[in-house]
Each structure stands twice: as structure tokens, then as C-alpha cells.
Amino acid sequence: MNTIVVNGTRVREFLPMRECIDAMERAFRALTRGRAVVPLRPVVRIPGDAGGALAAMPAYLDDPRSLGVKAISVFAGNEGTVHDSHQGAVLFFDPDHGALVAIMDAGAVTAVRTAAASAVATRLLARPGAEDLAMLGAGVQAHSHLEAMRAVRPVRRVRVWSRTAARAAAFARRYDASDLTVTAVATPREAVEQADLVCTVTSAREPVLMGDWLTPGAHLNVVGASVATAREVDTAAVLRSACFVDRRESALREAGDLVIPIREGALHESHIRAELGEILEGASDGRRTPEEITLFKSVGLAVEDLAAADIVYRRARDDRSVPRIDLC
Ligand code: NDP
């Protein structure tokens, strides 16, 4: 039995954003219907100042029927080196016999599926005419989030802030020849005030976004922090918003943006209005009024990787130029 090996470049070729957004929607629905098996992820944290972690994310999904595990390292300190901050592989298995049918670059899968999940939230929760986007962070996820936001809302203006001003400027330059106006700004506040859409995609451990900067009717995708001890948005931002998550169980363990205010006694877990799948399945409201601020807290789920990997696998399987290896 040969195993297909799909590198990052081919993953991006085989995984168009719009198709991935629809796949994320199906995955969230399957999760809500109880048609997915997704244990909480174990994470190995490497002791020492440099940090770094390795997470294992296994899952089974009924629709599309798929089985796999993502092994991914997260080294936030890799900025400025030749290494990405997220590296690893998705191992994709045949759910009938357990054969390992594909190995694919996890960094590329993560880049696309995370932004696609935020796009599902944005499609469900943001006001239809949202055109003014604030991007906090200018790394891999910032680029994929801009593509994803444009797929679901008529984005025209983008203000980007990053910790390193040169990185925000470089981000803006990438879109010089596009029909977008992308401006690098000096503070996160300048980016966020008056924005209809806000994406926080930084590796910050302390809040970079304050709730009193938010405009009524805004929608936020809060993506960067996926551990209980780090957060990108302050308690006021969460309290001012109707909160939505990819999965309650994961968010209440892994989302510092929610866990820290809960621990401080400022927030109760009932503040989470719904999982995205519950809105999609008609079991919960999304946005209730045009003035409401909505906040999607993403921690990232293995079913997202699996649903994205399924798209990649189907394309790669039919493409004879994709390498195969015999592991036996
Ligand atoms: P990159 O390394 O490509 O970019 C990181 C960004 O975070 C840069 O803009 C960097 O700023 C900024 N940053 C780093 N440290 C700090 C800090 N202490 N304070 C403020 N900003 C900081 O990472 P990615 O784009 O791949 O990922 C972004 C975040 O999203 C990460 O935290 C990652 O773990 C998380 N993530 C979440 C997922 C989910 O499913 N929810 C999935 C994948 C990633 P600069 O370079 O300008 O200094």
C-alpha cells in the first residue's frame, strides 16, 4: 500500500479557500450532530524560556467519512528564522482498514482551515455589508484570514497592525496592486476603531485589543491564543460581545480569552451563546441585533484538519505527479 506525500505547496493548490469554508461548515454541523469523535488534544510543552510545544490532534468524522491525526509543533519564537511557527504533518487514514493513505504538510492545512473556520463564523455572524477590516497580526494567519474574509464579506479597506512595524508595512505592500486599500497602522487601536470586522491573529500572551475600542455591530474573530494562559483580547471585549466558539469543551479548557476572565470571576461560561454548529443546525441564535458585537473564539479542532485533509487527499490521489512512498 503506497502512501501519498503532499508538500505545503501542493496542499495550497489542492485546498481552495472557498471549498475549505464549505467543508468547515459541514464539519461543524457533524460535530453538533454527534457525528464526530474528537478527544481534547494532548500538548507536550517544552520546558525552558524558548518555549515550544507539540500537540496531537486525532479525530474521526462521519461526513465526509475520514480518520486522521495532526501532529503539530508550535514555536512562536521562530519568527525571523527559516522555520515557520507551525510545522508538522497530517496523517490521513483509510477509515475502513486503518491504512495510512496520505501524509501532508500540517502548516499549510492549518493556515487555510483556521481562516476558513473564521469565515464560517463571519458568514454567520457579521453584518452583511461589513467592508472595513482590522487585522491584528501580519503573519501566516493574517494573510489567510484576509483571503477568507474577502470570500464571505465585501471587504474594501484593511488596517493592519503588527508588533513589528516593518512586518505590518510588508503585509500592506503585498496588496499594493490589488483592489483593496491596505494600510499599516502604528497601534492596534487605530486598526480596530470603526472596523466592521476584526481578526486577531497574533502570538500575543497579553491583550492587544481592548473592549472599549470596539464599534457597535462589529464582528471579531479571535484566533491567536489557543492555551488557557494566554489571551489577545481583554475582559471588557468579551463582556461587550455575544460569544461563540468552535466547541465549548475545547474553549473552556484552551481559550485563555475566555478562561482567564472566568477564573477572575468576571465571566460565567453561560456567556458563550453557541457553538458554530449549533447556529448552523438551527439550535441557537447567532447575531440578534445590528448593534450587537459578536465574537468568535477559535481554538482550532482536529475535525477542521480532517475535513480539509479530505479535500487535499481526494485531489492528490487522482494526481499522478504527487509522490508515493511504500512505508512497509
Ligand atoms: P506567525 O508566526 O506567522 O505570526 C505571528 C504574529 O504574531 C506576527 O504578526 C507577530 O508580530 C505577532 N506576535 C508574536 N508575538 C507577539 C506578541 N508577544 N505580542 C503581539 N504580537 C505578537 O503565526 P501564525 O500567523 O501562523 O499564527 C498566529 C497565531 O494564531 C499564533 O498564536 C498561532 O498559535 C495561532 N493559531 C491559532 C489557530 C486556531 O485554530 N485558533 C491555528 C493556527 C494558529 P511581529 O512578527 O510583527 O513581531
Side-chain angles (χ1 to χ4, degrees):
M1 175 79 201
N2 284 335
T3 303
I4 296 169
V5 182
V6 195
N7 68 23
T9 305
R10 299 307 301 269
V11 167
R12 286 178 180 278
E13 181 188 325
F14 293 142
L15 188 58
M17 181 60 76
R18 284 176 192 276
E19 213 173 311
C20 192
I21 294 169
D22 292 339
M24 293 306 106
E25 198 170 297
R26 283 195 302 280
F28 288 131
R29 283 179 185 274
L31 195 62
T32 296
R33 283 195 239 116
R35 299 189 62 183
V37 182
V38 202
L40 288 167
R41 57 186 157 204
V43 181
V44 174
R45 292 182 206 294
I46 296 148
D49 291 344
L54 179 67
M57 299 173 67
Y60 168 78
L61 188 58
D62 229 5
D63 175 25
R65 198 151 175 276
S66 43
L67 175 69
V69 56
K70 180 167 82 171
I72 190 146
S73 67
V74 182
F75 280 69
N78 277 353
E79 290 145 36
T81 73
V82 293
H83 305 288
D84 284 339
S85 53
H86 292 70
Q87 301 168 88
V90 176
L91 306 182
F92 197 68
F93 293 85
D94 161 11
D96 294 318
H97 303 101
L100 176 64
V101 293
I103 301 174
M104 57 191 81
D105 177 56
V109 170
T110 304
V112 181
R113 69 71 153 151
T114 307
S118 295
V120 171
T122 305
R123 191 149 73 183
L124 287 169
L125 297 168
R127 289 174 304 169
E131 57 178 28
D132 197 297
L133 168 67
M135 189 69 74
L136 304 191
V140 171
Q141 287 294 339
H143 287 286
S144 56
H145 271 73
L146 178 48
E147 182 187 357
M149 294 304 102
R150 293 188 80 190
V152 295
R153 285 296 179 269
V155 174
R156 290 174 192 278
R157 289 175 301 282
V158 184
R159 287 181 300 283
V160 58
W161 168 84
S162 196
R163 180 182 59 170
T164 308
R167 196 142 186 221
F171 181 97
R173 272 198 304 277
R174 282 261 297 257
Y175 300 91
D176 272 353
S178 76
D179 55 348
L180 282 173
T181 306
V182 183
T183 312
V185 295
T187 64
R189 184 175 188 152
E190 278 177 76
V192 169
E193 280 180 342
Q194 306 305 321
D196 304 312
L197 291 176
V198 180
C199 296
T200 65
V201 282
T202 74
S203 305
R205 302 192 61 82
E206 302 294 334
V208 290
L209 183 152
M210 306 302 158
D212 59 4
W213 302 343
L214 296 169
T215 306
H219 170 72
L220 284 69
N221 296 306
V222 177
V223 175
S226 311
V227 291
T229 50
R231 58 176 171 169
E232 294 180 289
V233 304
D234 72 350
T235 300
V238 180
L239 288 174
R240 279 193 74 190
S241 307
C243 279
F244 301 85
V245 294
D246 35 20
R247 186 168 72 148
R248 274 193 189 78
E249 189 186 4
S250 301
L252 290 171
R253 197 177 84 147
E254 299 170 359
D257 298 283
L258 303 178
V259 170
I260 294 169
I262 289 172
R263 266 203 221 118
E264 288 170 346
L267 190 77
H268 188 264
E269 60 183 68
S270 60
H271 190 72
I272 299 173
R273 184 177 294 171
E275 298 180 353
L276 296 185
E278 292 168 347
I279 311 175
L280 288 162
E281 289 290 301
S284 173
D285 288 346
R287 165 182 293 279
R288 287 181 182 152
T289 68
E291 293 76 32
E292 191 167 56
I293 296 171
T294 53
L295 184 157
F296 167 55
K297 176 56 207 160
S298 157
V299 289
L301 303 176
V303 283
E304 297 169 22
D305 299 303
L306 215 46
D310 179 72
I311 297 174
V312 174
Y313 171 63
R314 285 169 197 279
R315 292 234 161 81
R317 185 186 53 188
D318 297 337
D319 187 328
R320 297 313 299 176
S321 70
V322 177
R324 269 85 172 149
I325 54 169
D326 186 354
L327 285 168
C328 300

